[in-house]
Amino acid sequence: MGRRAARWRRWNRAIHRDLGYVCVGLTLVYAVSGVAVNHIRDWNPNYRVTVDTFPVPEASRSAVTDSAFPLAVLRAAGLDGPVRGTFRPDSATLEVFLPALTVRVDLDAQVATLARVQERPLLRRANLLHLNEPRGFWTYIADIFALALILLAVTGLFMMKGKYGITGRGAWLTGLGILLPVVILLVLA
């Protein structure tokens, strides 16, 4: 191997290694968030929602509009707190809003459903970054990270020599990695 090739390989390894260390934190955030966001139909990655049901006091339809009724519903649930507001989506339903929870009252069945919402602080913020909701300055960080990943991928192709490198088994594995999304895109088209 010539002196020039040895120098190039040394630089390639150094860039791959050091850039890889820099990208570890962002890669972990994006990877964990990516799994969470991929399964958003199965669970809420940003908030934990617990739902409980309980009986509510019987009330006439006219009493439901009285401000005392929502407080009676909250007492039945063992809750005390400021009512942020109420809403009647239809004549048989009353929704009572409190900080971090909602009570939906089925007036016909005399049953209330309490939905308590708790933020998943770290995962929610990771998802915000992953989906680029901050915009502005974060967009530049995300773009630089994407370019760094491209550079990591390219320098990684040349880390190994011989039958395990890009001229051997590495070529087949790289081809498989490229072929997989192409096939999925063709199937979905």
Side-chain angles (χ1 to χ4, degrees):
M1 171 166 59
R3 178 180 249 166
R4 190 178 207 167
R7 189 177 314 131
W8 179 86
R9 284 190 105 37
R10 195 173 332 116
W11 273 105
N12 187 67
R13 273 194 307 275
I15 290 168
H16 186 83
R17 178 196 62 226
D18 294 346
L19 192 57
Y21 287 140
V22 170
C23 288
V24 165
L26 285 170
T27 301
L28 292 174
V29 168
Y30 272 87
V32 169
S33 173
V35 171
V37 171
N38 284 346
H39 297 278
I40 204 160
R41 289 187 177 156
D42 303 321
W43 70 301
N44 186 334
N46 295 325
Y47 299 97
R48 179 178 292 116
V49 180
T50 54
V51 178
D52 296 312
T53 58
F54 57 92
V56 294
E58 187 173 345
S60 68
R61 297 282 180 195
S62 62
V64 171
T65 57
D66 182 18
S67 62
F69 183 72
L71 295 174
V73 169
L74 294 179
R75 279 193 298 278
L79 297 171
D80 185 29
V83 174
R84 282 198 170 163
T86 60
F87 176 64
R88 296 280 310 267
D90 56 56
S91 63
T93 309
L94 172 69
E95 293 180 351
V96 182
F97 303 104
L98 284 88
L101 60 97
T102 302
V103 180
R104 185 176 180 93
V105 182
D106 181 337
L107 298 168
D108 292 336
Q110 295 177 348
V111 172
T113 304
L114 180 132
R116 187 179 312 269
V117 178
Q118 295 172 302
E119 181 183 20
R120 300 176 199 271
L122 291 176
L123 192 52
R124 180 168 177 269
R125 283 164 181 77
N127 293 339
L128 291 175
L129 293 177
H130 189 119
L131 299 172
N132 192 24
E133 289 190 23
R135 308 256 188 284
F137 182 70
W138 181 253
T139 300
Y140 297 110
I141 300 292
D143 289 347
I144 291 168
F145 177 56
L147 293 172
L149 288 178
I150 291 168
L151 190 56
L152 277 172
V154 171
T155 57
L157 290 174
F158 302 102
M159 292 296 289
M160 300 292 292
K161 295 190 298 185
K163 67 179 184 176
Y164 297 112
I166 191 64
T167 59
R169 183 168 95 183
W172 291 101
L173 295 173
T174 302
L176 178 64
I178 293 169
L179 189 62
L180 185 63
V182 169
V183 168
I184 296 300
L185 289 172
L186 291 173
V187 169
L188 294 176

